[in-house]
Amino acid sequence: MNTLTAAPGLAERATSWLRRRLGRAVVLAYAAALLLPGLGLWLRGAHALPLGWGRTLPLPTAQLLLSLVLFSAGLQVPLSALGTLLRRPVALLAGLLLHLSIPLLAIPAVAFLLRQTPDTDGGSGLVTAMILIVTMPVAAGATVWTGKGDGDQPTMVGLVLASTLLSPLTTPLVISTLLPLLSGGYGSRLARIEDAHGGFALLGVVLPCAAGILCRLVLPAPLLRRVLCVVVPTALAGSLLLTYVNASGALGSFLARPRPLLLAAALTVATLVCVLSFALGHGAARLLRLDAPAASSLTLACGMNNSSASAVLITTTLPDKPHLLLPVLAYGLLQKTAANRVVRRTPGRSADPLPPPCAS
């Protein structure tokens, strides 16, 4: 066996090994952030690469890691499978409608409950964080869970792509609708984030994903296979590093100033929104009488949002509010736990499963 043949096989085995243990790896990343937050806090800071002649190149670690993860997701999109959506668009259209509707249903309920608490700002900080979570596109990682649960892969890929491409328009629109629910200065802060979000969504979310899709279209099959074998495991490791960096910001500040009530409130709110999102997706699938694979994909798409993107947005636009990352981290962990339950109890077989990342 020559080196060129061995390298893809080794990369494929390493990727499969890491994916099987991804849940435990995420928990270890959280533990590392709790016990050793120093490196993560340093990576969260502003860094620059000197280019000479007094010039520097900024290196925003979190944004670069997020771009790597999204580029990898785009590179793995099975575009040929999307043709089936033209014949069965019901789940796709329902998923997009629910993706836009869930924030308008869940966030007012959360805001009402938090206003009954003694918090001076009526829980507006937590509400702000949850708005930035549920208005994000469908998480690209949902395609992995769909494959594990034998769901409808074309529907899930279509939902990820459509919600991502529409996010520069839909996210600011939904945020502006929810602004009146905030007080204590969070409304004006979120309004500024809304103004900046179009550029963030385009440069930080849409373009990396689109670049991955474009590379998949133009690269010849042998070269694409080699690129996948490098990019996919690197992106998986990068997603874990991004989890560690984001968690270090939240847990580091929590250790410096422990606020048990805030932690409990963040966990409660994240759990409520997560359960409600998955329940709405499951209920819509039953109402539409979708088959098991399509129902699984619709349920996952409703509950799984790109929490990494929301964490990066909070880190870059609200650096003085690291505690807002607590509900983001909680939601990220909860949505993976809920997704695992969905795919475990879903029978059926997808017609178009994803190939292994290094498969030709």
Side-chain angles (χ1 to χ4, degrees), residues 29-56:
Y30 277 63
L34 183 64
L35 300 175
L36 301 168
L39 177 61
L41 293 173
W42 180 79
L43 289 172
R44 285 182 78 243
H47 304 285
L49 179 68
L51 299 178
W53 301 285
R55 297 183 178 180
T56 60

Side-chain angles (χ1 to χ4, degrees), residues 18-28 148 333 336:
L18 183 56
R19 274 183 168 163
R20 288 195 302 270
R21 295 162 177 80
L22 196 56
R24 281 172 280 179
V26 170
V27 173
L28 286 176
K148 286 183 177 181
L333 191 59
K336 293 179 178 66

Side-chain angles (χ1 to χ4, degrees), residues 101-117 122 127 130-131 178 181 269 272-273 276 280:
S101 302
I102 285 174
L104 304 178
L105 297 173
I107 298 302
V110 169
F112 174 78
L113 292 175
L114 287 175
R115 283 183 180 171
Q116 313 307 312
T117 66
V127 174
M130 295 312 303
I131 289 175
L178 297 173
L181 298 174
V269 168
L272 176 63
V273 175
L276 182 59
L280 287 172

